[in-house]
């Protein structure tokens, strides 16, 4: 058994990176945790050397369309006793040094929802997810958490909150997550 601390830098916040890391780690049977901090994303994974060797490549291969990995630094650290892989809260930061992505046009999945009369976001202009939507224009500081964006004024409705909190949802921690019930509205004059 070995344990690695792995530091990812680049555009790795607000792009579905933590859930992807968790999915890959769990698929490989690794234990440990992932969190966002002011330098990017930090991961600790523990497992056999052979499996650990596959982890970073699997993450690179499956990252979302607007994620950008600039560097990956992995180093061996002492073993810890953990039995699961978890997404951990961001530690309080001091020296912000991570990148925030550009605003991005709606992804295919969001466009499909936008035009679906049965969808609760039918024709909702502020539709977004972790693969698309606003980033740079709403950010006030990092780490990229909703409370540090202009969306903090809009409390999530139960349906949006459920998406925001479900690791297997493409809106897991989509910080600008919104719908016609709880999100911003617009009027054309
Ligand atoms: Zn989307
Ligand atoms: Zn909502």
């Amino acid at each position: 058994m070995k344990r690695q601390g792995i530091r990812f830098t680049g555009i790795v916040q607000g792009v579905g990176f933590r859930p992807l890391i968790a999915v890959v780690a769990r698929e490989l049977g690794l234990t440990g945790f992932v969190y966002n901090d002011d330098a990017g994303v930090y991961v600790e994974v523990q497992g056999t050397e052979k499996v650990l060797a596959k982890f970073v490549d699997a993450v690179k291969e499956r990252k979302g369309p607007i994620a950008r990995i600039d560097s990956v630094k992995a180093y061996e650290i002492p073993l810890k006793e953990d039995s699961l892989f978890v997404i951990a809260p961001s530690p309080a930061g001091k020296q912000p040094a991570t990148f925030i992505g550009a605003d991005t046009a709606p992804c295919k999945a969001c466009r499909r929802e936008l035009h679906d009369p049965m969808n609760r976001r039918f024709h909702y202009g502020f539709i977004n997810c972790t693969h698309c939507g606003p980033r740079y224009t709403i950010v006030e500081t990092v780490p990229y958490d909703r409370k540090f964006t202009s969306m903090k004024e809009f409390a999530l409705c139960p349906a949006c909150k459920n998406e925001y909190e479900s690791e297997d949802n493409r809106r897991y921690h989509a910080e600008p997550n919104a719908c016609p019930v709880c999100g911003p509205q617009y009027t054309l004059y």
Side-chain angles (χ1 to χ4, degrees):
M1 290 293 261
K2 294 229 156 123
R3 188 176 186 92
Q4 286 185 337
I6 307 174
R7 156 72 56 199
F8 290 89
T9 69
I11 299 173
V12 290
Q13 294 188 12
V15 293
F17 207 67
R18 285 172 304 172
L20 170 68
I21 297 261
V23 166
V24 173
R26 288 170 192 156
E27 277 177 13
L28 293 173
L30 299 170
T31 61
F33 60 82
V34 57
Y35 59 66
N36 279 344
D37 63 13
D38 42 22
V41 166
Y42 179 70
V43 186
E44 288 191 6
V45 274
Q46 182 164 314
T48 63
E49 206 165 348
K50 206 173 145 195
V51 175
L52 282 174
K54 295 180 188 163
F55 176 71
V56 171
D57 284 342
V59 169
K60 282 184 178 168
E61 207 179 289
R62 286 163 59 178
K63 72 173 181 56
I66 58 175
R68 189 190 81 203
I69 299 171
D70 290 345
S71 73
V72 185
K73 284 198 190 95
Y75 43 92
E76 203 178 323
I77 55 174
L79 295 177
K80 283 183 194 165
E81 278 185 37
D82 41 20
S83 53
L84 293 169
F85 190 91
V86 297
I87 297 178
S90 308
K94 289 173 202 79
Q95 297 264 302
T98 192
F99 290 99
I100 295 298
D103 296 4
T104 308
C107 69
K108 255 192 200 150
C110 284
R111 289 204 305 272
R112 210 177 305 125
E113 293 172 352
L114 183 67
H115 298 299
D116 174 3
M118 299 306 286
N119 192 279
R120 68 192 188 89
R121 293 191 178 84
F122 179 58
H123 285 183
Y124 181 57
F126 298 100
I127 191 167
N128 69 83
C129 74
T130 51
H131 298 151
C132 70
R135 297 288 182 277
Y136 186 75
T137 50
I138 61 167
V139 164
E140 289 162 1
T141 185
V142 291
Y144 179 59
D145 284 333
R146 189 173 178 99
K147 62 177 184 279
F148 301 131
T149 72
S150 54
M151 292 299 288
K152 65 179 181 293
E153 310 292 335
F154 299 90
L156 291 166
C157 71
C160 286
K161 190 161 188 280
N162 184 47
E163 293 168 338
Y164 184 87
E165 289 172 351
S166 306
E167 281 182 26
D168 57 354
N169 194 287
R170 110 176 177 278
R171 295 193 169 93
Y172 176 74
H173 274 265
E175 308 302 344
N177 194 21
C179 77
V181 173
C182 64
Q185 304 288 336
Y186 61 90
T187 309
L188 176 66
Y189 292 97

